[in-house]
Amino acid sequence: MSHHSVAEIYAFMDEARRRLEQRVVNLTPTQQRFKTSADAWCIGEVTEHLALIEERLSRTIAAAVKRASVAEGYHRASFAPVSLDRFAEQAARKLEAPEMVRPGGLASISDSLAKMRDSRATLAGLRPQVEVRDFSAVIFPHPLFGPLNIYEWLVTIGLHEERHLKQIENIIAAPDFPS
């Protein structure tokens, strides 16, 4: 999937978030803590992980945008389509989350969603700058995909939420998921 504008990237992120919130917001405490196996994450832990990731990414992206915004040569001439399809195979693999973004299991879904909304507000506040300046050369490494620019990092946020929404759907589809 290619995104042809900053507006498309933000719409993609917002749609992934809408679907995620819609799926988890009304789960009971028992459903939030249900695990399909002893070493699997429950839905509460998945949302906590998402909150931790986006909190870190929003700070990192904000700092990168701020640094680049004061530099010369970042005025937008055109927007090159952004696609991370080349990473589909790597993204489909089961991964071990780095320690700093592993859930502690103590956050409620409502707390995690509140943190995610705060992080998203930070990213939304960056949108006017990201729309008018060229950040395609502002790059920092992704642990799986390697160097990504600001636009690619924004797309990864939506892709990451979609990935974990599928995980949540699989937990809910488990035969012994509490009703």
Side-chain angles (χ1 to χ4, degrees), residues 16-179:
R17 173 62 53 81
R18 184 195 66 73
R19 289 190 347 265
L20 176 77
E21 284 192 26
Q22 182 180 30
R23 195 63 188 110
V24 302
V25 73
N26 292 318
L27 295 175
T28 67
T30 302
Q31 292 170 327
Q32 292 177 28
R33 297 289 165 224
F34 173 80
K35 292 186 176 198
T36 56
S37 68
D39 62 339
W41 287 354
C42 65
I43 296 170
E45 290 169 322
V46 172
T47 56
E48 182 181 358
H49 165 73
L50 289 168
L52 291 167
I53 288 279
E54 189 166 327
E55 185 176 53
R56 292 179 66 85
L57 279 178
S58 67
R59 284 194 315 258
T60 302
I61 291 169
V65 166
K66 183 177 180 180
R67 280 191 309 274
S69 291
V70 298
E72 291 298 318
Y74 286 97
H75 298 286
R76 174 155 333 274
S78 64
F79 186 89
V82 177
S83 172
L84 295 177
D85 291 346
R86 66 191 184 275
F87 300 119
E89 189 176 314
Q90 294 106 309
R93 295 187 322 217
K94 181 168 172 39
L95 304 169
E96 182 76 24
E99 183 67 36
M100 68 196 102
V101 291
R102 281 190 203 139
L106 302 175
S108 69
I109 286 179
S110 60
D111 289 345
S112 294
L113 290 175
K115 287 181 181 181
M116 291 166 72
R117 287 183 199 111
D118 289 345
S119 297
R120 189 57 57 90
T122 297
L123 293 172
L126 298 172
R127 183 175 172 175
Q129 294 172 71
V130 174
E131 286 182 320
V132 298
R133 298 182 74 98
D134 180 6
F135 292 99
S136 58
V138 179
I139 295 171
F140 50 101
H142 185 282
L144 179 64
F145 305 141
L148 299 179
N149 67 36
I150 295 289
Y151 310 112
E152 291 168 325
W153 271 105
L154 291 170
V155 171
T156 66
I157 292 170
L159 290 172
H160 189 240
E161 288 186 8
E162 284 186 339
R163 172 189 176 107
H164 285 294
L165 178 57
K166 288 177 187 168
Q167 181 183 8
I168 289 167
E169 293 291 350
N170 288 337
I171 294 169
I172 291 170
D176 49 346
F177 186 76
S179 54

